[in-house]
Amino acid sequence: MPSVPAAWLLTTARRRVVDRLRSEDVLSRRLPELAVDRALTEEVTQMDPAQWVHGEVADERLRLVLLCAHPSLAREHAAALTLRLVLGVPTEEIARLFLVPTPTMAARLTRARKRLSDASFDVPTGTELEERVAVVAEVAYLAFTAGYAPGAGADVLRADVAAEAIRLVRVLRDALPTSYAGRSELDALLALVLLQHSRRHARVSAAGTLVLLPDQDRSRWDRAAIDEALELLSPWVHAPPAPYLLQALVAAEHAVAATPAQTAWPRIVGHYDALLGLTDSPVVRLHRAVAVAEAEGPEAGLDALAGVVLPGHRPPSVRAALLARLGRTEAARDAYEEALALCGNAAEAEHLAGRLADL
């Protein structure tokens, strides 16, 4: 038995990864795959989160994430590599999260892995550690998204992936000193994923089909997670706007509404307007269009949706739902068919097919 089993496992796994990286043909036409040793994955998953042990990060999964968040890698490359290497998210799903084609993401992963294989594997401390925190937070957020709303496969959600992302946020938040300048965003990120995850049981019907937010049984929401999230947010409600904070405030509006009709949609639109001022993206504009449709009507929602260019089925599915509400059946049918052709998730495709049949 090694004197420090966890360190031995990490070193062994690291060497296996490096050997695998060096042996891969970067010009191969096949999508790059990296198999993480199953035993390491199971051991790491079962470890209890720790805070600080003699100034070093003690949680091995967090150590691996910090190693992937190496300064030699661009932030988006570090996040993508960590999702693939540490959490095992498929390349196709990572490509969807970053809004790029799968071959493009595959090439990025190959380049990032090659660069990392030549880099130092020292665990950062002090200022360098804090500089990598934003990358780790982004990784956790993307990993949660991959579990909460899979873009491919048969599952409505992957609760295990989402739960691991939440655990990673908790470990990161606990490992950093209370004086860390970005504490509000870490609290907001944890609140955001807790609020979203609190709806996991209500998002799937007894038959395994997707249940949208307005149709969910709110008594099945996890009230303990909601209460924890609201407590985390309460000190920061009047803090300067920040991306995770604004998204958490949107999720909180849904959590405190007893019924869909009581949702404060104008406030949600205001949060999205503020978010657009910080990070203008097609994803934010798509979500804002949905909120505008609820606050001001489907015609206003269609106007807000105009010009949103986003790969995948969600823009045409939103457009189809708004057109159906306006009674424009033929146009709605065309949009649903477009969404179905682009949808890679079986559960969402079944839902779209049902809406199309209803027309």
Side-chain angles (χ1 to χ4, degrees):
M1 175 68 71
S3 58
V4 185
W8 184 90
L9 281 172
L10 180 63
T11 300
T12 302
R14 180 190 308 149
R15 289 172 178 168
R16 290 191 62 169
V17 168
V18 171
D19 288 343
R20 177 69 176 266
L21 294 175
R22 289 173 176 168
S23 66
E24 286 185 345
D25 179 4
V26 297
L27 299 179
S28 173
R29 294 184 179 181
R30 297 178 59 189
L31 294 179
E33 297 290 339
L34 182 58
V36 181
D37 182 79
R38 181 182 300 276
L40 172 66
T41 302
E42 292 175 352
E43 289 290 336
V44 168
T45 302
Q46 296 300 321
M47 289 182 180
D48 292 330
Q51 298 183 1
W52 285 95
V53 177
H54 305 301
E56 296 183 354
V57 179
D59 183 90
E60 294 303 310
R61 179 60 61 89
L62 182 58
R63 283 173 59 91
L64 289 172
V65 175
L66 289 171
L67 291 174
C68 287
H70 197 275
S72 66
L73 298 178
R75 176 171 294 191
E76 61 273 17
H77 292 179
L81 183 64
T82 308
L83 290 171
R84 183 73 192 96
L85 175 62
V86 181
L87 296 180
V89 178
T91 302
E92 298 84 356
E93 187 71 9
I94 300 173
R96 185 187 71 85
L97 293 172
F98 283 90
L99 308 179
V100 298
T102 298
T104 300
M105 179 52 65
R108 288 183 185 178
L109 288 170
T110 299
R111 291 193 298 268
R113 283 157 32 182
K114 187 177 188 306
R115 181 182 292 271
L116 189 60
S117 69
D118 298 327
S120 169
F121 281 97
D122 294 336
V123 176
T125 58
T127 302
E128 185 183 355
L129 173 65
E130 295 194 5
E131 290 174 350
R132 297 197 197 180
V133 167
V135 178
V136 179
E138 182 177 350
V139 167
Y141 178 72
L142 291 171
F144 179 81
T145 302
Y148 181 79
D155 300 323
V156 174
L157 57 87
R158 298 169 189 160
D160 55 342
V161 175
E164 176 61 23
I166 293 173
R167 190 186 76 85
L168 182 59
V169 178
R170 289 190 188 278
V171 172
L172 176 63
R173 180 175 173 272
D174 290 342
L176 291 169
T178 55
S179 59
Y180 174 65
R183 193 74 181 183
S184 62
E185 273 290 79
L186 285 180
D187 285 356
L189 175 57
L190 180 55
L192 171 61
V193 294
L194 284 172
L195 288 168
Q196 300 284 50
H197 199 53
S198 70
R199 302 197 293 266
R200 63 191 180 279
H201 299 303
R203 292 185 68 227
V204 187
S205 71
T209 58
L210 173 67
V211 182
L212 297 185
L213 180 61
D215 304 319
Q216 291 175 11
D217 179 358
R218 301 191 175 208
S219 67
R220 300 187 65 198
W221 289 1
D222 185 347
R223 300 309 308 183
I226 292 173
D227 291 342
E228 180 185 356
L230 296 179
E231 184 176 352
L232 284 166
L233 280 178
S234 60
W236 310 112
V237 170
H238 301 294
Y244 292 136
L245 177 58
L246 290 168
Q247 293 177 75
L249 291 175
V250 169
E253 294 290 354
H254 293 296
V256 300
T259 65
Q262 294 177 331
T263 305
W265 287 107
R267 280 207 298 267
I268 291 177
V269 172
H271 293 322
Y272 279 128
D273 287 340
L275 188 56
L276 281 175
L278 295 175
T279 172
D280 191 346
S281 77
V283 174
V284 176
R285 290 193 173 275
L286 176 65
H287 291 175
R288 180 184 178 276
V290 174
V292 168
E294 296 298 331
E296 303 174 21
E299 195 69 59
L302 284 173
D303 291 341
L305 187 62
V308 173
V309 179
L310 182 66
H313 68 283
R314 291 197 167 89
S317 66
V318 170
R319 186 168 64 252
L322 297 180
L323 289 168
R325 287 170 58 181
L326 289 169
R328 296 161 61 179
T329 306
E330 290 301 321
R333 182 179 291 111
D334 292 342
Y336 272 129
E337 290 176 348
E338 178 186 353
L340 271 169
L342 296 171
C343 185
N345 181 278
E348 291 194 51
E350 182 180 356
H351 173 80
L352 292 171
R355 290 297 176 93
L356 178 59
D358 291 340
L359 291 178

